[in-house]
Amino acid sequence: MRSLDRTLDEGWKPDHLLQQIGQDLGLAAELVEVFLEEMPDILIGIQEAVRQADDERLASAAHAFRGSAAAIGAFALARAAADLEAAGREGRAHAMASAADAFAAGACRLETCLQSTLAGGAS
Amino acid sequence: MSIDLEVGSATPDRVLIADDSRVNRSLLRGILTRQGFEVAEAADGEAALLAARENPPELILLDIDMPRQDGFEVCSELKRHAETAQIPIIFLSSFDQSAQKIRGLELGAVDYVTKPFDRGEVLARVRTQMRVLHLTRSLREANQELLRQRQSLDDDLRAAAEIQRSLLPGSETASGLRAGWRFRPCSSIGGDMFNLIRLNSRQTACYVVDVAGHGVPSALVGMSVNHRLSSAWLAEEGEAGHVARSPSAVLRRLDYEYPIERFNRFFTIAYLVLDTVSGRLCYSCAGHPPPMLLRRDGTVERLAEGGPPIGLGEFLDFEEATVDLEADDRLILYTDGVVEAPDGAGALLGIDGLEAFVRSTSTLGPAAVCSQLEELLVRRSGKIADHDDVSFLALDWQPET
């Protein structure tokens, strides 16, 4: 986890996370792993909800993503998830196709970044 | 009696984390378990309620913003049920919104933590609540222990009161006398004692003792005096056989044996010896309110001869006097709790008031007089023996043949 010291993505602020948890690198790695584990299912949930124009499901999946992303310090994605959550609440899931695609792309970049961070920590 | 407050517990404190975000739960778990707390997790409101009921934790960290059942609803539900109502709740709030915080506190939460969490803040708030919780618990335990000890003292006092009561005379004790009495100690037991003692075939001694103060110390002194006034000590062998000692001699002896330095208490006593055949009564009162003699014609004589209270020293002697009773004359003995019973305005019954009462109840028997007096005192003061021990005896004499 040495590479956690650096900001690897403009949306993710590992410094912030480390500061929150008292520079506990072990706990930071644990949290990132948990996030990576649950992220794919949530992402699929968001995309399906948009495709099926399921407002409630979109709000719920985006809410889950927002909470977890904010917890690890990925604030840009957390804000994007909050927008999707609001759209779901307001009944605009059907209009969120391109936003959901952009969100998924951002999430993939974050995933890559987190994976490499973990790998860096393991090396 | 002192109770130590021990704060802290042998087993680790359990914290239930209710948050729909697994990352958030892991984060809080990581922070808390590293500090020795035990952690349980719930991913939504329903699971939180179930976990809290099945195994109540010491503290709940409750996310406000959960889908379906939000933190406010969960909090209300927990507060509604007795088994979970006392568990302290700290809300986890996503935004620094005072409206949310106020609503949470109004629902009964003890604190809140704003996301993103800061380890130091989370730990400080959790520890503060744990300290409050443990202090409350140990206070409650100390309180229960005090109640238990108080109960044990009350039980002892009740048992002591039974013993004291068992030393009082029966209502038909001495031949030639019809007796009625009331004994109402101010607390469970008191410093009043009285008795009727048959000394020989025609002499009966009667006394009323009132030890200064009330409660256990006075009762113990009263019982000591009662024990001392046994028949063996009250009579002596003379030319005419086994005869009563004179009342003044008895009081002098008591004054010698009970100086105030002995128990740090003085007492008053009215001591009478009645010849139950001839009706001759010899008495002496040591600082005691005067017994009354109600004659058949309705006049009342106060038997005021005597001296100072017992224990105050040998400066003044005890005088005694003799009166002759007629058949059906009535003797009234009492302690100052009777004449010092205040009414609502604080006015005392007084010896004159008691005398008027004695005269007005001359047609009743001794037992009925006692009931009437008790009613009178309750009517005046609202409650009998609220201010002092109350003792009262009525004795009707019929010549023995």
Side-chain angles (χ1 to χ4, degrees), chain B residues 348-360:
Chain B
L348 310 183
L349 176 64
I351 295 182
D352 291 343
L354 178 63
E355 187 180 315
F357 165 81
V358 166
R359 215 178 285 118
S360 72

Side-chain angles (χ1 to χ4, degrees), chain B residues 105-351:
Chain B
L105 295 174
E106 278 175 353
L107 284 172
V110 292
D111 207 351
Y112 54 82
V113 187
T114 308
K115 297 177 192 175
F117 303 121
D118 177 82
R119 175 181 171 277
E121 185 190 352
V122 169
L123 285 174
R125 292 191 191 271
V126 166
R127 282 184 181 136
T128 299
Q129 290 312 320
M130 289 301 184
R131 240 192 320 274
V132 171
L133 180 79
H134 289 303
L135 198 57
T136 310
R137 271 186 193 168
S138 52
L139 270 176
R140 199 176 298 139
E141 279 161 19
N143 197 31
Q144 271 162 0
E145 174 63 12
L146 280 174
L147 283 176
R148 202 189 56 70
Q149 291 182 3
R150 165 79 199 267
Q151 181 64 47
S152 150
L153 277 177
D154 284 351
D155 290 348
D156 285 354
L157 271 180
R158 256 192 297 280
E162 281 303 309
I163 293 168
Q164 187 177 40
R165 197 164 278 277
S166 73
L167 298 175
L168 301 175
S171 54
E172 300 287 342
T173 261
S175 48
L177 286 170
R178 275 205 303 154
W181 52 264
R182 279 293 181 282
F183 172 68
R184 296 284 182 262
C186 186
S187 38
S188 300
I189 60 174
D192 285 3
M193 278 307 290
F194 52 83
N195 209 351
L196 289 167
I197 300 174
R198 186 79 168 173
L199 299 176
N200 54 44
S201 59
R202 55 185 291 168
Q203 286 184 304
T204 292
C206 174
Y207 58 83
V208 178
V209 172
D210 181 358
V211 182
H214 41 78
V216 175
S218 298
L220 288 174
V221 175
M223 285 165 83
S224 161
V225 174
N226 195 56
H227 176 69
R228 200 70 192 90
L229 293 174
S230 60
S231 61
W233 193 67
L234 297 177
E236 58 191 344
E237 289 306 324
E239 288 169 12
H242 199 65
V243 295
R245 283 177 198 273
S246 77
S248 58
V250 169
L251 298 194
R252 229 169 276 131
R253 181 86 178 254
L254 285 175
D255 195 46
Y256 175 75
E257 291 194 9
Y258 289 86
I260 192 161
E261 300 80 28
R262 186 174 169 196
F263 296 116
N264 201 24
R265 269 176 169 69
F266 66 87
F267 62 88
T268 70
I269 177 172
Y271 182 81
L272 303 78
V273 176
L274 176 67
D275 184 318
T276 50
V277 176
S278 71
R280 174 151 288 203
L281 177 78
C282 191
Y283 74 90
S284 184
C285 298
H288 201 84
M292 293 178 192
L293 172 57
L294 172 67
R295 297 292 193 180
R296 222 171 10 166
D297 65 3
T299 57
V300 172
E301 294 167 27
R302 296 183 187 177
L303 310 181
E305 207 60 62
I310 302 293
L312 295 186
E314 315 99 40
F315 302 110
L316 290 166
D317 201 8
F318 298 98
E319 305 294 333
E320 62 184 38
T322 301
V323 287
D324 288 310
L325 305 194
E326 304 285 335
D328 290 327
D329 280 355
R330 170 172 296 165
L331 282 166
I332 299 288
L333 287 86
Y334 55 95
T335 54
D336 60 6
V338 174
V339 287
E340 288 172 7
D343 64 10
L348 310 183
L349 176 64
I351 295 182

